[in-house]
Amino acid sequence: MNNRQLFLSHLAQTTDFPLMIEIERAEGIYMYGPDGKEYIDLISGIGVSNIGHRHPKVIDAIKEQLDKYLHLMVYGEYVQSPQTLLAKAICETLPSHLDNVYLVNSGSEAVEGALKLAKRFTNRREIISCVNAYHGSSHGSLSVGGNEIFKRAYRPLLPGIKNVVYGSFQQLEEITENTAAFIVETIQGEAGIKVACSEYFQALRKKCDETGTILILDEIQAGFGRTGKFWAFEHFGIVPDILVCAKGMGGGMPIGAFIANKEVMGAFKNNPLLGHITTFGGHPVSSVASLATIRVIREEKLLDQVETKANLFKKLLVHPKIKSIRNKGLMMAVEFESFEVLKPIIDRAIKNGVITDWFLFCDDAMRIAPPLVITEEEIEKACGLILAAIEED
């Protein structure tokens, strides 16, 4: 049996129509099939490869760690320099009171930890999230998701969840002294790159302060430079109580984190002790890869280049079939008339050698979120292939 047959026979499937693209190696913005076919990855493995595939500094860090040790002990017991140095580096990107990092394995797990922490710290049970939010696929994170299509088959989920409209000032009144947490994507991703105004976030912050509600910002997609700031909340003049990240933080390795101040995080130490447990959280290989990722973003000044690159995409992607482009930095949604128009364009683009996608809750928009290391020449090449795919109809 070849790889494609093994994939279909023995690997659990999530749809009846997987893409079935076979990749043998990857480098920078490119992925390569067994026959040498070249694909430009314009979605960074869904927001993961922010600094490109197999960045040399990430690979070097991984190789160096492999010669020292792999897993040693469940999270939080042994002093391991990959974890401590990463936590310090993350805190250095943040306001000083966000000084405690809990390392986990994924975004969904980070959301689970953040929800538990908010409940434990406040001794409240109600959680508010947004319509068309996506926070992950495990039971807790799915409970605070905002799309019933993905939730209905798994009910009952967590009780005490309210959904409000992202960006609605009026619905901030739903936040009360019974609310443990308001969890929100700083930039709504799967809704098709929806960006609320600064005044909304400031009003949200004020309401949470007034009611003693924990504000959880989910930057699983938007963090680590994707929007042109290291953290997307920097655009809006607020700071969360708990920050959630994953995806782009690992340089291609699996890792996530939720971050708070020491007082809030301390709620996990007593009644009960070991209030949150993870076996592989902060795995040393993933941790060194994440530390290298932070250094690459800084040393290569990738944040300074995001807006220019995003503007070039918007300048080049002009076509009668493109209705609009929404973005915050290199987190972009290219809107078409319908899914029926968009899907064949995505399929033809893949044949042309450029990989894009749509959004879970917005199927009339093309997802573009390339590695931040993409060059202007590569942007021009990718946009040419997309425009050719549009014209091929």
Side-chain angles (χ1 to χ4, degrees):
M1 297 177 74
N2 62 31
N3 267 343
R4 294 171 68 86
Q5 292 167 323
L6 291 170
F7 174 88
L8 292 171
S9 297
H10 299 300
L11 202 64
Q13 304 293 300
T14 56
T15 72
D16 289 323
F17 43 88
L19 285 173
M20 296 292 289
I21 300 170
E22 189 171 351
I23 301 298
E24 190 173 79
R25 63 186 180 90
E27 198 85 29
I29 71 162
Y30 295 101
M31 301 186 294
Y32 301 91
D35 58 356
K37 182 173 174 59
E38 178 182 275
Y39 299 92
I40 296 174
D41 182 2
L42 274 196
I43 54 176
S44 303
I46 311 295
V48 169
S49 302
N50 278 15
I51 61 169
H53 295 277
R54 299 185 67 254
H55 192 287
K57 291 185 178 178
V58 171
I59 299 303
D60 287 346
I62 290 171
K63 287 179 177 177
E64 185 177 343
Q65 183 59 37
L66 292 179
D67 287 332
K68 295 178 180 177
Y69 55 84
L70 302 180
H71 176 77
L72 299 179
M73 178 59 166
V74 297
Y75 176 82
E77 296 297 327
Y78 292 175
V79 179
Q80 301 179 50
S81 63
Q83 295 178 349
T84 57
L85 293 176
L86 173 58
K88 176 177 180 289
I90 291 172
C91 290
E92 287 171 349
T93 70
L94 290 163
S96 59
H97 68 278
L98 286 174
D99 60 2
N100 241 230
V101 179
Y102 196 120
L103 297 170
V104 292
N105 304 286
S106 69
S108 188
E109 187 185 337
V111 168
E112 297 283 348
L115 296 175
K116 284 177 63 179
L117 183 58
K119 283 179 156 184
R120 179 67 188 86
F121 183 76
T122 62
N123 287 313
R124 303 174 185 177
R125 297 295 173 261
E126 179 184 86
I127 297 171
I128 299 177
S129 60
C130 291
V131 174
N132 281 340
Y134 182 78
H135 297 290
S137 195
S138 53
H139 262 73
S141 58
L142 184 63
S143 298
V144 294
N147 189 285
E148 185 60 26
I149 291 171
F150 281 81
K151 296 165 72 167
R152 63 170 64 116
Y154 303 102
R155 291 192 179 279
L157 295 168
L158 285 182
I161 308 297
K162 288 183 182 178
N163 282 153
V164 298
V165 174
Y166 174 80
S168 168
F169 286 85
Q170 182 178 355
Q171 290 197 297
L172 294 180
E173 294 305 313
E174 295 290 329
I175 304 170
T176 71
E177 292 182 356
N178 295 319
T179 309
F182 189 109
I183 181 169
V184 58
E185 298 163 277
T186 313
I187 312 295
Q188 277 202 313
E190 297 308 319
I193 315 304
K194 300 296 176 65
V195 187
C197 62
S198 295
E199 290 79 10
Y200 169 76
F201 280 107
Q202 289 160 17
L204 170 59
R205 176 71 273 178
K206 184 171 184 286
K207 189 67 174 178
C208 287
D209 289 339
E210 290 170 352
T211 57
T213 299
I214 295 291
L215 176 57
I216 303 172
L217 290 186
D218 177 340
E219 299 214 358
I220 292 168
Q221 288 196 53
F224 274 69
R226 172 59 49 194
T227 67
K229 301 282 190 183
F230 199 94
W231 303 105
F233 69 77
E234 296 177 63
H235 293 284
F236 304 108
I238 64 157
V239 179
D241 299 302
I242 302 176
L243 178 65
V244 176
C245 56
K247 286 189 180 289
M249 74 181 288
M253 293 294 290
I255 191 168
F258 57 102
I259 305 157
N261 67 39
K262 199 166 188 177
E263 178 191 4
V264 172
M265 199 71 81
F268 275 153
K269 294 193 293 185
N270 299 291
N271 299 319
L273 54 75
L274 299 173
H276 193 65
I277 298 171
T278 173
T279 296
F280 294 110
H283 190 282
V285 177
S286 293
S287 293
V288 297
S290 182
L291 180 58
T293 297
I294 293 173
R295 289 173 175 168
V296 167
I297 291 170
R298 294 297 194 208
E299 291 167 6
E300 298 188 10
K301 300 188 184 331
L302 295 181
L303 300 179
D304 298 343
Q305 305 167 32
V306 167
E307 200 59 35
T308 298
K309 292 174 180 179
N311 286 336
L312 183 57
F313 271 107
K314 291 192 286 186
K315 177 184 175 183
L316 295 173
L317 287 177
V318 176
H319 192 277
K321 289 188 178 179
I322 295 175
K323 296 177 63 178
S324 69
I325 298 178
R326 298 185 297 273
N327 80 295
K328 196 68 174 175
L330 284 170
M331 196 172 178
M332 313 184 78
V334 181
E335 185 183 4
F336 291 81
E337 182 179 340
S338 65
F339 179 72
E340 288 70 29
V341 172
L342 172 61
K343 180 59 165 63
I345 293 170
I346 289 174
D347 293 342
R348 292 193 295 267
I350 291 173
K351 289 181 181 177
N352 291 348
V354 60
I355 295 177
T356 66
D357 200 358
W358 64 93
F359 299 89
L360 285 179
F361 313 140
C362 181
D363 65 6
D364 63 355
M366 177 185 288
R367 182 197 305 265
I368 293 182
L372 306 183
V373 296
I374 193 170
T375 66
E376 293 187 8
E377 292 75 18
E378 289 166 340
I379 292 171
E380 291 173 0
K381 178 180 178 181
C383 289
L385 293 170
I386 292 171
L387 292 171
I390 296 173
E391 287 291 339
E392 284 171 33
D393 184 13

